[in-house]
Structures are given as C-alpha cells and as structure tokens.
Amino acid sequence: MQQKAPERARHRTPDPEAPSRRRWPTVLGALLAVGALAGVVVVAASVELTGGSERDTPPAAAPAPEESPGGMNDQLRPDQVGALAPASRSEAEAGVRNNWQMIAGDEFEGTELDLDRWAPYTGETTGGVGRHLAENLSVRDGRLLLTSRGLTSAGLHWKGGMQYGRWEIRAKTNPGTGYGDVALLWPVAEDWPIGGELNFMEIPKGDRSETHAIVHYGSDNSQVGKTITGDFTDWHNYAVEWLPDRVVFYIDGVEVFRTMDPDHIPPRPMHLAMQQDIGPYGKDWIPPLDETSPDELDFEVDWVRIYAP
C-alpha cells in the first residue's frame, strides 16, 4: 500500500548523529566500562519524564556477523506462538482495564512534533541498510507518522526516562515488504545489551500478520518472548508493564506474555523509542526491499501514554 506523503515536521535544532547498537567494538567497550564502574554506580528508581540528556539515543543496529564474537546472539525468533484473541476489542486499553495512573503522554493533537517531549534521531537503521532522518517525522490529523521513503526512515525517543513503569501506544502498521515497525523501551545509559531492551510491538514482516513481544537481557543479548498472530494493519493498543518483579506485555488490554525471571528484568532506567527499520536484517526477520515494496510507507501512532509504576 503506497502512502500519501505527509507534511514534514519542523525542528528547532539540527538532529544529532545516532549512536549505533549491536556493533561489536561498541558492545565490548561498553561491557568493559560497565565492569569497571560496577562497584561504584548506584541507580536510583527516579522519574524524569521530560527534558533529560541532550544526547539523543536511537536504538539503531548494525548486522551481526555469521559467527558473533563473544557469543553475542543475533535477533532470535520467539519459540512461543499465540493468536490474538478474537474477542479482543481493538479499543480496549491495558491502562484502563488495570486502573493504571497516567503521568505523561502525547495525543498528537498539534501540527508538528512536540520537541519538549520527543527527540528525533538520525543514523543507521537496524542492520545498517538505511538511515533515520528527522524530516521523515510528521504530525497530522491527530497522528504521529513515521514515514519510510526508499532507504530513509524515521525514529524518535521520549525525552527523559524512568526505572519501572507502564507504557501504552495505539498504533497501526501498513503492508510493505522490507520495512519493520517497532516500539520499545531502551536503556537511557546506552549500555545495551546489559541494560536490557523491551520490544512490546515489533512487526518485521511485510504482510503485518504477526507481532512480537521480546525481552532482551544479559551480556550476550539473550532473548525470551512470544509471537502473536493477527491483523496488525488494524489499529491496536500495545502496552508493556515493567516492575521490579516482572515484565508483562499486552495487546488491546489482554496479557500476551509475562516473565518473572529476575535475570530478565532491566536493571536501570529506560525510555520509550519508536522507529521503522529497513531490511534486510536477520536470518528470518526483516526481509529485503523488493518490487512490491511501496515508495513510501507510514507507521502511524494515535497516542502515547505513560503510567506510574
């Protein structure tokens, strides 16, 4: 499906270069640095929902080699598979059903991106095939649009982060081979993979017939999660609950995956990020662009809501 080109969002400052992730020198250097600081760093469970660091921190990835050094795992497909409950209503929200207390959010009611809340980022997309550009972000008709155009795409993160909480978005994806849409929590400290990663909406295949809920953890990028089948070209509500004793994922207010293993719980503050990536990436993940790929493709977000722990 070819999407109409959105109006371009205006930005007050030049976009910083995006730090990369899953590059082996970066990962190994981060592990050494964290090891040296492990005895002196104490992380406070504090909340900082606006402002924060001036450094924009996109979760863009470089491709893993065929044999990853140090035992680092590439993107893995979850072993568990389940179907979206037929009785699930697309307007149902985990936040409403569970009486979560909302503390921040964005309804995208204006005509341009609120840069007091959001930080667009540039740099390579996951796998290093394309590039995120801030000009591919726009706000129109009450929606945030992340638009891919050939080998350029878009990504942004919420300014500030917190340790523990709940995040929910209402979003839809559009068919398009070679483009993968993802909403995730990313470590503010930029210490992936040991800082964790929580992907609560990840849709890599062009027909949008399945999404994935995935927890990344440990120094080797270990992963647990679940694949959920359904029609994700429709609007759905995607949520993650991250507390000291659990990580829980929801779609349309219904729990789809849970882990209570202490090893899986991210250790430090995180913030929300959303992006559209360009294939190929991974052995069975985002396929390459082909003759059916649209010239332009939107990842659409109706609203974002952040809730207290």
Side-chain angles (χ1 to χ4, degrees), residues 124-246:
E124 292 183 344
T125 60
T126 298
V129 176
R131 193 168 189 84
H132 294 300
L133 298 178
E135 65 189 48
N136 289 335
L137 292 165
S138 61
V139 174
R140 189 182 65 217
D141 299 328
R143 295 169 296 146
L144 168 68
L145 304 179
L146 297 85
T147 303
S148 288
R149 298 179 171 94
L151 294 179
T152 71
S153 188
L156 76 170
H157 74 78
W158 183 267
K159 287 186 174 181
M162 63 185 185
Q163 186 166 12
Y164 311 130
R166 299 157 169 116
W167 291 255
E168 189 160 20
I169 71 170
R170 181 166 179 80
K172 75 185 297 289
T173 62
N174 293 293
T177 297
Y179 297 105
D181 301 353
V182 58
L184 67 151
L185 299 187
W186 182 256
V188 174
E190 284 294 307
D191 58 347
W192 187 92
I194 58 175
E197 177 184 352
L198 302 178
N199 296 355
F200 61 100
M201 187 209 84
E202 187 160 14
I203 305 178
K205 295 295 189 293
D207 63 3
R208 311 311 189 202
S209 63
E210 61 184 35
T211 187
H212 307 273
I214 301 175
V215 176
H216 296 251
Y217 66 96
S219 60
D220 62 348
N221 185 30
S222 294
Q223 298 154 50
V224 295
K226 188 173 183 178
T227 297
I228 302 95
T229 59
D231 181 2
F232 299 103
T233 63
D234 288 338
W235 287 99
H236 291 285
N237 299 327
Y238 304 86
V240 58
E241 178 180 44
W242 166 40
L243 296 175
D245 63 344
R246 63 185 182 272

Side-chain angles (χ1 to χ4, degrees), residues 1 6 12 17 26 38 46 59 67-68 77 84 102 128 139 151 168 175 197 204 229 280-281 304 308:
M1 179 184 297
R12 294 194 291 264
E17 180 71 15
T26 301
S46 61
E67 295 183 2
S68 305
R77 189 176 181 84
L84 194 64
M102 190 168 72
V139 174
L151 294 179
E168 189 160 20
E197 177 184 352
T229 59
Y281 174 66
V304 167

